[in-house]
Each structure stands twice: as structure tokens, then as C-alpha cells.
Amino acid sequence: MARRYTSNLTWDDVTPEHLFLNRRQLIAGSGAMLGAGLIGGSAQAQEAMEAMEPNTFEEITTYNNFYEFGTGKDDPARNAHTLVTSPWSVEIDGLVDNPGTYSFEDIMSEVEVEERIYRLRCVEAWSMVVPWNGFELADLLNRVGVQDGARYVAFETANRPDEMPGLRSPVLDWPYREGLRLDEAMHPLTIMATGIYGRDIPNQNGAPMRLVVPWKYGYKSIKSIVRISLVEDQPRASWNEYSANEYGFYSNVNPEVDHPRWSQASERRIGGGLFAQRQPTLMFNGYADEVTSLYEGMDLDEFH
Ligand code: MTE
């Protein structure tokens, strides 16, 4: 199976800028300059560095949301082994030059796989840092050729009752669906993840291919994708349909717009231990420098 892991990105490319600066400050401060009075900034720098310290493989693969395998955090790790991920194919249709059913291997032989260390902020106010392996969604979309008139991208998860015990409960209107505006889908931060820590992505994390949009709440990052459609109108999205005032279509991480039932101003970091401090949530999950321009002129409260 062709799996190219190129690593031409640096921390600079994938780390929110202010965290990166703080990281450098900490590294500088930990050496010779420590004695030179720079220690004052180090608590904040320490916090920023911890905020980008990757979670362990164990944490990332045992505390999951994948309701097709149950609603408990440990259900996916226990149940998702029944999902058959090989062979796997993805239907790409709608407003594209080359619609078709593409095998996972064909896709992987065309795209550039890289490592991206991203923060994942769940709408339930917890977060993790995950070293993904994946490719830019734009890479795939450019290869199939997006036609004029396409304004959104719609995604669907596999819908296999025999392999997904959670589909027996009507928690959501299955299959799980998500959508992005075309410019969000084409943004270089948006990836299709196929691995974690250089290993094939485990079933509970969305094998063999799942979306990761790091500046949005985790539920936009749809797992085990079987269909990608380029469309003109805003597509259906599962949580948005479940409750539109709680789960907006955009779902950009925003500490100033609370969920109707809880605050989004801070978050609990998974793996931080019992006494870990809550961290303040950052606008666009720390990726504001990269993505603020996508929403210029939009009321982010209305379009939450
Ligand atoms: N995709 C599908 N198909 N089904 C789901 O239940 N849960 C979402 C998202 N993608 C979900 C899904 C939510 S709420 C989150 S926070 C992330 O997956 C969690 O990803 P992780 O388990 O890899 O951390």
C-alpha cells in the first residue's frame, strides 16, 4: 500500500503562532537566560508549551466520540474493531470534473501525507493534542477538479448496521453527516487524517480516513468517510440538524459564544490528571492568525 510520509512541515507551520513564540521563549528561558531575569514569563510559557504537548497514543485512542459504536467515551475503543476498513472506497460526486468511486489505496497513492500536530477541542469542553498523519483535503479536491458553482463540501460516514452497533439507537439521524464551506475545505489547515503517531489510524478514531478541521469543534471532524459531495447549497450536518441553536453549521471554536447549556470559555485537557487546571479556550482554537480572514464581516454569534 502506498503511504508516503513526507515531513517538510515544521512546528512553525502547524503550531498556532503565539504558542510557537511562547515555546521558543520557554526554550530560550530554560537555558543560559534563565538567570538573566526572564523567569517571569515562564509560567505562561510553560502553560503554552503544555497546551501543545501531544497526548499519548493511549489517551487519544481510548477516550473517543464515535456514536456509531456507542455514546460512552470508552465504547468506540471496545466496539469499533467490527468495522471492516479494507477494502474501503470513497464516492466523490456532485460538482466535480472526475466523479467516481475511488479506492483508499488510489487516493493514498496520489496525495502527500504529512504529520500535523493539532489541538482538538471538543464541544463538550475537553481538548487533546494529536499528532495526525494526513493530507490536505485541498490536495484531493484539486485532483478531482472542483467545478464552478460548488460552494460547499458534504461528507458522509459509513452506514453499516451490521458493523456499527450504535446505529440501533436513534441518537442521530444516521448516517453521520457534516459539511464545510468550500473555502474552509480548501484551507491548508484542513486535512484528511489517515494515521496517528505514524501508525494507521485506529478504527475508534475514524479509520481509514477522517476529516480534521482544527479551528472548529471536534464534531465537524467526521470519521470513516465514504462519500464527499461538492454542492451548491449548505449541506445537512448531523448535530446541526439535531439542535441548530446548540450546534451551528460553522461551529468555530469561540470562547465568547457559549453553548446554551454550558460555557465554552475554558476547557479540560484530557490526560492532565485529577488536579489539572482548566485552560482558557482560545479563539478559533488558537488558529486565529490563519483563519480569521475566512469570516471577515460575519457576525460570529449569529453564525456560530
Ligand atoms: N464522526 C462520526 N461519524 N461519528 C461521531 O460520533 N464524533 C465527533 C467527531 N466525529 C463523531 C464523528 C466528535 S463529537 C468528536 S469530539 C470527534 O469526532 C472526536 O474524535 P476523536 O475520537 O478522534 O478524538
Side-chain angles (χ1 to χ4, degrees), residues 170-294:
V171 206
L172 293 169
D173 183 11
W174 311 110
Y176 197 99
R177 296 182 182 84
E178 259 308 335
L180 296 173
R181 222 169 53 189
L182 184 61
D183 57 345
E184 299 175 325
M186 298 297 272
H187 193 280
L189 284 180
T190 302
I191 60 167
M192 280 290 181
T194 55
I196 293 175
Y197 275 109
R199 294 153 71 166
D200 286 352
I201 194 167
N203 285 6
Q204 58 267 36
N205 294 87
M209 209 171 92
R210 62 83 65 80
L211 190 68
V212 182
V213 194
W215 71 94
K216 293 179 179 282
Y217 292 117
Y219 64 90
K220 298 296 282 186
S221 293
I222 180 174
K223 295 177 168 179
S224 303
I225 294 169
V226 294
R227 187 172 177 200
I228 301 174
S229 311
L230 278 291
V231 297
E232 202 179 326
D233 298 321
Q234 183 176 303
R236 301 176 62 181
S238 293
W239 283 103
N240 180 242
E241 277 186 352
Y242 174 86
S243 176
N245 75 324
E246 292 178 274
Y247 310 100
F249 178 79
Y250 283 92
S251 301
N252 293 317
V253 173
N254 187 342
E256 285 156 29
V257 178
D258 288 334
H259 184 282
R261 290 183 280 129
W262 62 84
S263 163
Q264 293 293 17
S266 69
E267 65 204 51
R268 175 176 64 93
R269 189 184 142 103
I270 298 303
L274 214 49
F275 306 105
Q277 294 284 311
R278 291 183 74 86
Q279 301 176 0
T281 288
L282 302 172
M283 188 63 198
F284 294 115
N285 199 25
Y287 301 93
D289 288 346
E290 290 87 349
V291 301
T292 302
S293 62
L294 295 176

Side-chain angles (χ1 to χ4, degrees), residues 56-79:
T56 63
F57 187 80
E58 170 82 9
E59 286 159 359
I60 296 165
T61 59
T62 57
Y63 189 91
N64 300 101
N65 276 335
F66 199 169
Y67 279 16
E68 287 86 336
F69 297 100
T71 54
K73 299 298 173 213
D74 52 354
D75 287 341
R78 203 173 37 242
N79 298 330

